Amino acid sequence: MITTIIFDFGDIFINLDKQATIEGLKKLGLKQWNEDLNQLNLQFEKGEIQQEDFLLGIQKHVPNASFVEILEAWNAILLDFPLYRLEFLQKLSKKYRLFLLSNTDAIHIETFEQETGISFYSDFYQCFEKVYFSFEIGMRKPDAEIFNYLIQKHELSVKNTLFVDDKKENTDAALSLGFHVWNLQVDQEDVINLFEKEIL
């Protein structure tokens, strides 16, 4: 019996346009997304570098772009957060232990909070027993250490815990540790259809 649910954030609750940032950077002169930018993103998501160093790192690839322009491109990924998903989550929080576990960075979370406002994001965060952002805890999915961290810190029973994420590499990692998983298919499924999955 499922008693605990761990949710991802992007494309589970907030809609994303994952190509928008790359397209935005290309308009600023980027030829293509590369391994250097990939590593920079991973470091920033794990809180290993500060925002200024991250922006300087991107600027090397788009030398004619300002920080303001880079930030605009970087945040282009963030779309809307439908109210109906928050309302669904609020109902769910009355029956289950809920956790948020997101690979994200300080820029995206600050932008999300600014755009939705304190009332909305506070209501959202309050649905969870604990909110975990990768940049704050220095770990990210799909590494086993981040799942083990939650298991130990909150004394979770994996056989009673469901993990919901849109990336298969993340749900595969959780599955290998014994979690129940739902690899949500973006644009085909919605988190509010959770009870139709016959997992709970």
Side-chain angles (χ1 to χ4, degrees):
M1 185 178 128
I2 301 297
T3 57
T4 304
I5 310 173
I6 302 170
F7 288 105
D8 178 33
F9 182 31
D11 267 338
I12 302 297
F13 295 111
I14 188 170
N15 291 319
L16 302 179
D17 182 347
K18 290 167 182 168
Q19 277 302 308
T21 286
I22 293 171
E23 293 305 316
L25 290 172
K26 282 182 177 176
K27 285 176 185 171
L28 298 177
L30 180 71
K31 289 184 173 60
Q32 65 178 25
W33 186 265
N34 54 52
E35 187 54 29
D36 183 44
L37 287 170
N38 203 40
Q39 288 304 314
L40 198 66
N41 180 42
L42 292 178
Q43 285 180 302
F44 195 40
E45 278 194 351
K46 290 176 81 170
E48 294 173 352
I49 54 174
Q50 296 299 309
Q51 179 170 316
E52 187 176 358
D53 294 325
F54 173 70
L55 294 172
L56 283 168
I58 291 184
Q59 201 173 46
K60 288 177 186 173
H61 297 270
V62 284
N64 296 321
S66 68
F67 276 9
V68 170
E69 290 172 318
I70 292 169
L71 281 167
E72 187 177 342
W74 192 247
N75 284 322
I77 188 174
L78 302 174
L79 299 179
D80 61 312
F81 185 142
L83 180 61
Y84 71 83
R85 288 186 187 148
L86 174 59
E87 291 169 343
F88 169 74
L89 193 63
Q90 287 172 325
K91 289 175 186 169
L92 206 62
S93 68
K94 293 179 172 68
K95 300 176 183 176
Y96 298 91
R97 293 179 72 189
L98 303 182
F99 296 89
L100 190 71
L101 183 63
S102 174
N103 287 349
T104 189
D105 60 64
I107 292 172
H108 284 157
I109 293 306
E110 184 180 339
T111 302
F112 157 68
E113 291 178 355
Q114 284 176 349
E115 292 189 351
T116 58
I118 190 166
S119 176
F120 188 95
Y121 77 72
S122 294
D123 285 349
F124 174 56
Y125 293 157
Q126 283 168 14
C127 292
F128 302 98
E129 191 171 315
K130 185 73 176 173
V131 170
Y132 288 106
F133 295 133
S134 58
F135 75 93
E136 292 180 331
I137 58 174
M139 295 176 273
R140 68 188 300 281
K141 301 170 291 186
D143 297 341
E145 66 171 345
I146 198 167
F147 294 106
N148 287 325
Y149 178 77
L150 262 71
I151 291 167
Q152 290 162 14
K153 193 167 180 64
H154 299 283
E155 298 179 344
L156 303 182
S157 162
V158 291
K159 71 177 187 295
N160 299 122
T161 303
L162 171 66
F163 173 66
V164 181
D165 199 296
D166 64 303
K167 287 195 171 71
K168 191 170 186 301
E169 64 188 39
N170 296 339
T171 52
D172 283 352
L175 189 63
S176 72
L177 293 169
F179 288 94
H180 296 268
V181 300
W182 176 18
N183 176 215
L184 186 147
Q185 303 302 299
V186 181
D187 297 327
Q188 298 174 38
E189 299 177 308
D190 195 297
V191 70
I192 67 163
N193 304 128
L194 181 62
F195 290 97
E196 295 170 17
K197 299 301 291 184
E198 297 180 0
I199 309 169
L200 298 177

XYZ file of all heavy atoms in Angstrom, residues 48-111:
537
model
N 27.270 23.748 -7.019
C 28.740 23.741 -6.927
C 29.357 25.046 -7.406
O 30.515 25.328 -7.106
C 29.304 22.567 -7.732
C 28.931 21.214 -7.152
C 29.336 20.037 -8.027
O 29.771 20.255 -9.169
O 29.193 18.893 -7.559
N 28.591 25.834 -8.165
C 29.074 27.147 -8.610
C 27.986 28.187 -8.348
O 26.803 27.870 -8.286
C 29.449 27.152 -10.114
C 28.287 26.652 -10.980
C 30.709 26.332 -10.360
C 28.538 26.776 -12.471
N 28.430 29.434 -8.199
C 27.505 30.533 -7.945
C 26.882 31.016 -9.250
O 27.381 30.744 -10.347
C 28.243 31.697 -7.260
C 28.793 31.362 -5.885
C 27.705 30.976 -4.897
O 26.711 31.692 -4.748
N 27.880 29.844 -4.222
N 25.813 31.796 -9.113
C 25.090 32.282 -10.292
C 25.995 33.070 -11.235
O 25.941 32.891 -12.455
C 23.911 33.161 -9.847
C 23.108 33.731 -11.010
C 21.829 34.395 -10.557
O 21.101 33.857 -9.710
N 21.522 35.556 -11.090
N 26.836 33.947 -10.686
C 27.693 34.769 -11.549
C 28.663 33.910 -12.359
O 28.872 34.151 -13.553
C 28.475 35.793 -10.716
C 29.247 36.775 -11.584
C 29.949 37.862 -10.791
O 29.826 37.891 -9.550
O 30.630 38.677 -11.425
N 29.235 32.894 -11.716
C 30.155 32.000 -12.423
C 29.425 31.204 -13.507
O 29.983 30.940 -14.580
C 30.828 31.035 -11.441
C 31.742 31.761 -10.468
O 32.370 32.741 -10.879
O 31.818 31.351 -9.301
N 28.203 30.833 -13.224
C 27.383 30.120 -14.203
C 27.123 31.004 -15.422
O 27.303 30.581 -16.572
C 26.061 29.700 -13.560
C 25.066 29.114 -14.509
C 25.268 27.871 -15.083
C 23.919 29.826 -14.855
C 24.336 27.328 -15.984
C 22.990 29.296 -15.744
C 23.211 28.048 -16.305
N 26.714 32.245 -15.164
C 26.423 33.172 -16.260
C 27.675 33.501 -17.063
O 27.633 33.597 -18.294
C 25.772 34.450 -15.717
C 24.379 34.272 -15.101
C 23.914 35.549 -14.430
C 23.369 33.834 -16.155
N 28.795 33.652 -16.370
C 30.070 33.903 -17.058
C 30.438 32.709 -17.940
O 30.952 32.887 -19.053
C 31.193 34.163 -16.043
C 31.217 35.552 -15.399
C 32.172 35.572 -14.209
C 31.614 36.625 -16.417
N 30.145 31.508 -17.430
C 30.425 30.290 -18.188
C 29.619 30.219 -19.473
O 30.132 29.833 -20.530
N 28.364 30.625 -19.387
C 27.520 30.653 -20.593
C 27.984 31.764 -21.534
O 28.034 31.587 -22.756
C 26.031 30.848 -20.226
C 25.495 29.594 -19.534
C 25.195 31.155 -21.475
C 24.026 29.625 -19.219
N 28.352 32.895 -20.931
C 28.752 34.053 -21.737
C 29.971 33.761 -22.634
O 30.128 34.367 -23.690
C 29.043 35.249 -20.826
C 28.980 36.601 -21.518
C 29.103 37.737 -20.513
O 29.948 37.723 -19.630
N 28.215 38.728 -20.640
N 30.797 32.830 -22.204
C 31.945 32.435 -23.037
C 31.483 31.903 -24.393
O 32.195 32.004 -25.386
C 32.778 31.356 -22.328
C 33.585 31.870 -21.148
C 34.314 30.719 -20.467
C 35.003 31.192 -19.193
N 35.580 30.061 -18.436
N 30.308 31.313 -24.410
C 29.770 30.731 -25.646
C 28.912 31.724 -26.434
O 28.635 31.491 -27.608
C 28.948 29.480 -25.322
C 29.763 28.391 -24.709
N 30.408 27.423 -25.449
C 30.063 28.122 -23.407
C 31.067 26.602 -24.633
N 30.859 26.998 -23.387
N 28.474 32.781 -25.751
C 27.698 33.846 -26.424
C 28.277 35.197 -25.973
O 27.623 35.950 -25.251
C 26.180 33.738 -26.110
C 25.540 32.609 -26.893
C 25.918 33.516 -24.614
N 29.512 35.504 -26.405
C 30.251 36.657 -25.881
C 29.596 38.020 -26.092
O 29.917 38.970 -25.374
C 31.599 36.584 -26.614
C 31.387 35.677 -27.769
C 30.304 34.735 -27.372
N 28.685 38.118 -27.036
C 28.039 39.415 -27.283
C 26.757 39.606 -26.473
O 26.119 40.652 -26.561
C 27.728 39.577 -28.782
C 28.998 39.609 -29.619
O 29.988 40.201 -29.210
N 28.966 38.966 -30.771
N 26.400 38.597 -25.689
C 25.152 38.664 -24.912
C 25.409 39.193 -23.499
O 26.438 38.902 -22.883
C 24.508 37.291 -24.839
N 24.464 39.959 -22.999
C 24.535 40.461 -21.619
C 23.969 39.413 -20.664
O 23.286 38.473 -21.087
C 23.719 41.747 -21.487
O 22.340 41.462 -21.643
N 24.240 39.590 -19.364
C 23.671 38.685 -18.357
C 22.144 38.715 -18.422
O 21.491 37.681 -18.251
C 24.135 39.089 -16.950
C 25.488 38.535 -16.568
C 26.287 37.887 -17.495
C 25.960 38.665 -15.268
C 27.538 37.378 -17.147
C 27.200 38.144 -14.903
C 27.989 37.505 -15.839
N 21.575 39.886 -18.656
C 20.113 40.027 -18.710
C 19.550 39.183 -19.859
O 18.557 38.464 -19.696
C 19.706 41.515 -18.887
C 18.206 41.630 -19.179
C 20.050 42.305 -17.632
N 20.219 39.234 -21.007
C 19.770 38.457 -22.160
C 19.923 36.955 -21.918
O 19.064 36.155 -22.295
C 20.566 38.868 -23.407
C 20.224 40.257 -23.914
C 21.156 40.716 -25.024
O 22.382 40.482 -24.922
O 20.658 41.318 -25.994
N 21.035 36.583 -21.268
C 21.275 35.167 -20.952
C 20.209 34.661 -19.979
O 19.659 33.573 -20.153
C 22.686 34.954 -20.383
C 23.737 35.226 -21.469
C 22.848 33.535 -19.831
C 25.161 35.313 -20.952
N 19.901 35.463 -18.966
C 18.877 35.083 -17.986
C 17.512 34.906 -18.649
O 16.767 33.984 -18.327
C 18.782 36.137 -16.876
C 19.858 36.058 -15.789
C 19.849 37.323 -14.938
C 19.659 34.831 -14.907
N 17.203 35.795 -19.576
C 15.921 35.700 -20.282
C 15.837 34.390 -21.076
O 14.819 33.694 -21.051
C 15.753 36.894 -21.228
C 14.390 36.947 -21.871
C 14.187 38.170 -22.743
O 14.946 39.149 -22.605
O 13.263 38.134 -23.575
N 16.938 34.051 -21.742
C 16.978 32.790 -22.500
C 16.910 31.598 -21.551
O 16.217 30.609 -21.823
C 18.245 32.735 -23.346
N 17.636 31.690 -20.436
C 17.688 30.582 -19.483
C 16.308 30.307 -18.888
O 15.917 29.159 -18.673
C 18.703 30.873 -18.377
C 19.004 29.682 -17.532
C 18.690 29.496 -16.216
C 19.671 28.485 -17.945
N 19.108 28.258 -15.779
C 19.721 27.613 -16.836
C 20.224 28.060 -19.155
C 20.296 26.350 -16.896
C 20.797 26.797 -19.218
C 20.832 25.964 -18.093
N 15.555 31.365 -18.631
C 14.235 31.218 -18.006
C 13.123 30.925 -19.004
O 11.981 30.679 -18.599
C 13.887 32.483 -17.216
C 14.640 32.558 -15.903
O 14.845 31.540 -15.237
N 15.083 33.750 -15.531
N 13.454 30.933 -20.306
C 12.428 30.681 -21.327
C 11.822 29.286 -21.203
O 10.722 29.033 -21.689
C 13.032 30.872 -22.723
N 12.521 28.395 -20.538
C 12.030 27.022 -20.323
C 10.770 26.993 -19.460
O 9.929 26.109 -19.592
C 13.138 26.147 -19.685
C 12.718 24.680 -19.644
C 13.513 26.644 -18.297
C 13.811 23.737 -19.153
N 10.631 27.971 -18.573
C 9.538 27.962 -17.594
C 8.239 28.481 -18.202
O 8.168 29.611 -18.671
C 9.910 28.823 -16.375
C 11.181 28.428 -15.625
C 11.490 29.453 -14.540
C 11.046 27.035 -15.016
N 7.212 27.663 -18.164
C 5.893 28.058 -18.666
C 4.930 28.240 -17.492
O 5.318 28.724 -16.444
C 5.387 27.014 -19.671
C 6.266 26.808 -20.923
C 5.678 25.725 -21.823
C 6.438 28.111 -21.700
N 3.703 27.809 -17.642
C 2.679 28.020 -16.622
C 2.597 26.861 -15.629
O 3.069 25.758 -15.902
C 1.309 28.199 -17.290
C 0.904 26.956 -18.087
O 1.742 26.455 -18.855
O -0.242 26.481 -17.923
N 2.003 27.140 -14.499
C 1.716 26.132 -13.476
C 0.196 26.159 -13.273
O -0.320 27.020 -12.570
C 2.443 26.493 -12.175
C 2.338 25.470 -11.071
C 3.430 25.227 -10.249
C 1.176 24.741 -10.822
C 3.358 24.299 -9.211
C 1.079 23.816 -9.800
C 2.179 23.605 -8.987
N -0.534 25.228 -13.905
C -2.006 25.253 -13.826
C -2.520 25.106 -12.393
O -2.053 24.250 -11.643
C -2.429 24.057 -14.680
C -1.254 23.775 -15.568
C -0.047 24.130 -14.749
N -3.486 25.943 -12.057
C -4.066 25.929 -10.715
C -4.676 24.575 -10.372
O -4.610 24.126 -9.229
C -5.118 27.036 -10.595
C -5.838 27.155 -9.245
C -4.857 27.457 -8.117
C -6.920 28.226 -9.312
N -5.256 23.889 -11.365
C -5.912 22.609 -11.080
C -4.931 21.566 -10.532
O -5.319 20.681 -9.774
C -6.664 22.080 -12.302
C -5.810 21.585 -13.454
C -5.277 20.294 -13.447
C -5.541 22.395 -14.548
C -4.491 19.836 -14.495
C -4.755 21.948 -15.606
C -4.234 20.665 -15.570
O -3.454 20.215 -16.599
N -3.659 21.692 -10.908
C -2.665 20.750 -10.373
C -2.368 21.034 -8.906
O -2.173 20.113 -8.121
C -1.375 20.818 -11.200
C -1.516 20.195 -12.578
C -0.205 20.142 -13.310
N -0.395 19.698 -14.686
C 0.347 20.090 -15.711
N 1.356 20.920 -15.520
N 0.099 19.646 -16.930
N -2.342 22.303 -8.555
C -2.141 22.668 -7.147
C -3.321 22.172 -6.317
O -3.137 21.610 -5.234
C -1.987 24.178 -6.997
C -1.919 24.704 -5.550
C -0.745 24.092 -4.784
C -1.824 26.227 -5.528
N -4.525 22.346 -6.830
C -5.728 21.918 -6.099
C -5.741 20.399 -5.917
O -6.123 19.895 -4.848
C -6.979 22.390 -6.844
C -7.147 23.898 -6.802
C -8.224 24.425 -7.742
O -8.634 23.683 -8.658
O -8.654 25.582 -7.550
N -5.299 19.679 -6.942
C -5.183 18.223 -6.848
C -4.175 17.845 -5.769
O -4.426 16.961 -4.937
C -4.740 17.653 -8.201
C -4.337 16.191 -8.155
C -5.293 15.191 -8.045
C -2.998 15.827 -8.212
C -4.918 13.848 -7.997
C -2.618 14.498 -8.160
C -3.581 13.500 -8.053
N -3.049 18.529 -5.761
C -1.991 18.253 -4.794
C -2.448 18.527 -3.368
O -2.135 17.766 -2.436
C -0.771 19.119 -5.135
C 0.547 18.774 -4.440
C 1.030 17.392 -4.830
C 1.601 19.820 -4.790
N -3.203 19.588 -3.191
C -3.705 19.932 -1.857
C -4.609 18.835 -1.304
O -4.539 18.504 -0.114
C -4.436 21.281 -1.913
C -3.477 22.455 -2.069
C -4.186 23.775 -2.326
O -5.217 23.815 -2.999
N -3.643 24.862 -1.809
N -5.430 18.261 -2.166
C -6.293 17.148 -1.740
C -5.445 15.915 -1.413
O -5.683 15.215 -0.427
C -7.306 16.807 -2.836
C -8.378 17.859 -3.019
C -9.268 17.528 -4.204
C -10.243 18.666 -4.483
N -10.933 18.488 -5.768
N -4.455 15.663 -2.256
C -3.577 14.505 -2.078
C -2.812 14.575 -0.762
O -2.578 13.561 -0.097
C -2.593 14.449 -3.254
C -2.000 13.096 -3.646
C -3.092 12.129 -4.095
C -0.971 13.283 -4.754
N -2.414 15.791 -0.380
C -1.585 15.986 0.824
C -2.323 15.621 2.112
O -1.696 15.430 3.160
C -1.086 17.433 0.900
O -2.156 18.321 1.147
N -3.640 15.512 2.023
C -4.424 15.139 3.212
C -4.393 13.625 3.452
O -4.721 13.155 4.532
C -5.868 15.617 3.062
C -6.011 17.139 3.059
C -7.477 17.545 2.891
C -7.676 19.028 3.089
N -7.053 19.837 2.028
N -3.969 12.863 2.420
C -3.998 11.401 2.511
C -2.620 10.738 2.479
O -2.485 9.591 2.897
C -4.830 10.832 1.347
C -6.270 11.299 1.318
C -6.977 10.754 0.083
C -8.407 11.250 -0.021
N -9.067 10.797 -1.256
N -1.623 11.454 1.953
C -0.299 10.849 1.769
C 0.810 11.759 2.299
O 0.637 12.977 2.376
C -0.033 10.594 0.271
C -0.994 9.645 -0.377
C -2.155 10.120 -0.983
C -0.748 8.271 -0.395
C -3.063 9.247 -1.584
C -1.643 7.396 -1.001
C -2.795 7.887 -1.594
O -3.673 7.020 -2.185
N 1.941 11.131 2.614
C 3.163 11.900 2.881
C 3.715 12.292 1.510
O 3.949 11.419 0.664
C 4.212 11.058 3.611
C 3.862 10.651 5.012
C 4.996 9.800 5.602
N 6.183 10.585 5.917
C 7.360 10.057 6.283
N 7.505 8.737 6.339
N 8.378 10.827 6.566
N 3.929 13.571 1.286
C 4.396 14.038 -0.016
C 5.761 14.721 0.089
O 6.027 15.466 1.041
C 3.396 15.028 -0.627
C 1.959 14.540 -0.826
C 1.132 15.633 -1.497
C 1.910 13.253 -1.652
N 6.595 14.474 -0.915
C 7.903 15.121 -1.010
C 8.098 15.634 -2.428
O 7.608 15.032 -3.391
C 9.029 14.130 -0.676
C 8.999 13.635 0.735
C 8.271 12.490 1.075
C 9.679 14.306 1.749
C 8.225 12.027 2.378
C 9.633 13.848 3.058
C 8.909 12.704 3.378
N 8.827 16.744 -2.550
C 9.207 17.258 -3.863
C 10.708 17.056 -4.024
O 11.478 17.408 -3.134
C 8.868 18.747 -3.972
C 9.004 19.358 -5.381
C 7.885 18.836 -6.286
C 8.944 20.892 -5.325
N 11.093 16.472 -5.156
C 12.510 16.196 -5.415
C 12.829 16.632 -6.834
O 12.456 15.957 -7.799
C 12.798 14.701 -5.227
C 14.258 14.260 -5.393
C 15.148 14.905 -4.336
C 14.369 12.731 -5.327
N 13.523 17.760 -6.963
C 13.715 18.358 -8.283
C 15.175 18.666 -8.595
O 15.883 19.235 -7.766
C 12.902 19.665 -8.361
O 13.165 20.358 -9.562
N 15.594 18.286 -9.809
C 16.873 18.754 -10.339
C 16.620 20.156 -10.888
O 15.971 20.315 -11.925
C 17.356 17.864 -11.500
C 17.848 16.517 -11.037
O 18.030 16.271 -9.850
N 18.066 15.623 -11.979
N 17.103 21.156 -10.206
C 16.859 22.525 -10.648
C 17.947 23.441 -10.110
O 18.834 22.999 -9.368
C 15.458 23.002 -10.212
O 15.171 24.254 -10.846
C 15.360 23.163 -8.697
N 17.879 24.697 -10.502
C 18.913 25.648 -10.068
C 18.279 26.871 -9.415
O 17.064 27.079 -9.486
C 19.797 26.054 -11.261
C 19.004 26.725 -12.370
O 18.454 27.823 -12.131
O 18.929 26.166 -13.482
N 19.122 27.686 -8.807
C 18.659 28.853 -8.054
C 17.925 29.857 -8.935
O 16.950 30.480 -8.496
C 19.851 29.524 -7.371
N 18.373 30.022 -10.181
C 17.734 30.987 -11.083
C 16.299 30.573 -11.382
O 15.370 31.382 -11.297
C 18.525 31.116 -12.405
C 19.896 31.773 -12.143
C 17.741 31.938 -13.429
C 20.818 31.775 -13.351
N 16.109 29.300 -11.724
C 14.764 28.844 -12.089
C 13.795 28.901 -10.905
O 12.619 29.258 -11.082
C 14.816 27.428 -12.662
C 15.322 27.386 -14.070
N 15.885 26.257 -14.633
C 15.354 28.344 -15.038
C 16.231 26.529 -15.881
N 15.926 27.786 -16.149
N 14.270 28.563 -9.721
C 13.375 28.594 -8.558
C 13.036 30.024 -8.165
O 11.880 30.347 -7.868
C 13.990 27.815 -7.370
C 14.053 26.329 -7.708
C 13.182 28.035 -6.087
C 12.726 25.698 -8.157
N 14.012 30.902 -8.228
C 13.747 32.314 -7.916
C 12.752 32.897 -8.921
O 11.822 33.624 -8.548
C 15.061 33.110 -7.973
C 14.895 34.568 -7.576
C 16.198 35.360 -7.634
O 17.278 34.749 -7.591
O 16.119 36.595 -7.743
N 12.906 32.547 -10.187
C 11.998 33.043 -11.223
C 10.592 32.479 -11.035
O 9.593 33.212 -11.136
C 12.527 32.671 -12.627
O 13.839 33.219 -12.776
C 11.623 33.216 -13.724
